[in-house]
């Protein structure tokens, strides 16, 4: 089960890299905005890996804490950068 979790995380990482590469072609943002988006994406995936491993190891409290401490700030960081630096009419 844990192998499937990390396979899915690898697929999500690959899709995220391709999405960021596509966005870098379509959107002009400063370097610190890109650093924040990439850092937020990596922090989000780290939080998912933490939570998934904790649930597999039967420690759900640690998994919930990992989601709250890693995933929530990552989503907030990416949302704030998106609202501040991405043009209003941008659509994928």
């Amino acid at each position: 089960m844990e192998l499937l979790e990390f396979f899915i995380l690898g697929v999500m990482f690959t899709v995220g890299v391709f999405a960021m590469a596509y966005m870098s072609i379509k959107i002009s943002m400063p370097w610190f905005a890109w650093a924040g988006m990439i850092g937020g994406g990596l922090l989000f995936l780290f939080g998912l890996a933490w939570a998934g491993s904790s649930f597999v190891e039967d420690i759900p409290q640690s998994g919930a804490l990992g989601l709250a401490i890693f995933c929530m700030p990552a989503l907030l960081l990416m949302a704030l950068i998106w609202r501040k630096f991405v043009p209003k009419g941008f659509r994928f």
Side-chain angles (χ1 to χ4, degrees):
M1 190 69 179
E2 198 167 358
L3 289 176
L4 179 63
E5 172 198 349
F6 285 111
F7 175 76
I8 292 171
L9 281 170
V11 170
M12 289 173 63
F13 178 79
T14 304
V15 169
V17 167
F18 282 124
M20 293 283 180
Y22 178 75
M23 280 179 24
S24 72
I25 294 170
K26 296 291 184 181
I27 302 173
S28 177
M29 288 195 304
W31 68 269
F32 52 87
W34 282 114
M37 290 292 278
I38 292 169
L42 290 175
L43 190 63
F44 180 75
L45 288 176
F46 176 74
L48 286 180
W50 180 298
S53 295
S54 296
F55 290 135
V56 167
E57 293 171 359
D58 200 27
I59 309 170
Q61 295 91 352
S62 175
L65 190 64
L67 288 175
I69 290 186
F70 298 119
C71 289
M72 186 175 56
L75 289 176
L76 288 174
L77 175 68
M78 290 190 296
L80 291 175
I81 289 172
W82 185 268
R83 288 183 54 96
K84 175 76 175 160
F85 292 107
V86 175
K88 298 287 185 214
F90 181 76
R91 299 271 188 238
F92 283 109

